[in-house]
Amino acid sequence: MKLQLALDLVDIPGAIEVVKQVESFVDIVEIGTPIVINEGLHAVKALKEAFPNMTVLADLKIMDAGGYEVMKAVEAGADIVTILGVAEDASIKGAVEEAKKHGKQILVDMIAVKNLAVRAAEVDALGVDYICVHTGYDLQAEGQNSFEDLRTIKAVVKNAKVAVAGGIKLSTLPEVIAVNPDLVIVGGGITGETNMSSAASEMKRLITQG
Ligand SMILES: O=C([C@H](O)CO)[C@H](O)[C@H](O)COP(=O)(O)O
């Protein structure tokens, strides 16, 4: 099980500062959608240049032009690129094909997918690397989480790795670990803490002990 740090509500210098504090505890650094909207793919480039040995995920949440947008993210230095599960199969296939050409990976974000079990099985057959259940900020604000959704996709996904994101904190991490995802994605649960290094370190400890 791996730990991914999601960087969302910071600028490029702020993102670099956070990674410096927690890099030894996280496996993947995510350049979140809000950073990409604010700074463009320069943010991906800057983080990869600052931390060349880290796996960098560009959270583009692609909806169309899968191949082209993956190509641009990979040019900027991304190792993993996200596309939405609600996108057309043609877009997901294009994204997978382009990523594979460069030895990179695709994570499908299942945010807003209605029939999760059916769509997860369909997406799994398209050769993607990760399938991620995700409760976004707007539904987190309504008190929702993705823990039950994680069980749902664990039951149907046979090829891809399974990931979970959305409001995970130190206090709720054990509940997530119990379902045994391949990847746990945490943003505010680390970046919102006064001592980010200690939060990330404790999360890594819990994940490693399983
Ligand atoms: O993808 C995300 C969100 O939609 C904003 O773009 C976050 O990176 C993801 O939700 C993880 O962050 P937390 O919910 O703060 O853990």
Side-chain angles (χ1 to χ4, degrees), residues 6 8 30 32-34 59 61 109 111 134-137 140 165-169 185-189:
D8 288 298
E30 168 189 330
T33 318
D59 189 17
K61 295 190 176 77
D109 186 333
I111 192 168
H134 179 198
T135 300
Y137 290 171
Q140 286 179 38
I168 299 166
K169 310 264 178 254
I185 301 172
V186 181

Side-chain angles (χ1 to χ4, degrees), residues 69-134:
E69 293 183 5
V70 167
M71 178 182 77
K72 300 315 285 181
V74 168
E75 273 173 19
D79 301 293
I80 308 173
V81 185
T82 68
I83 186 165
L84 294 177
V86 293
E88 301 288 354
D89 286 1
S91 303
I92 298 177
K93 282 182 195 164
V96 168
E97 199 180 306
E98 186 63 24
K100 287 201 188 319
K101 220 188 276 175
H102 304 281
K104 305 298 182 186
Q105 295 189 306
I106 294 296
L107 180 147
V108 177
D109 186 333
M110 302 299 278
I111 192 168
V113 167
K114 296 298 176 210
N115 196 337
L116 192 57
V118 170
R119 188 63 182 143
E122 288 171 358
V123 162
D124 193 33
L126 299 178
V128 306
D129 299 283
Y130 292 91
I131 299 177
C132 179
V133 287
H134 179 198

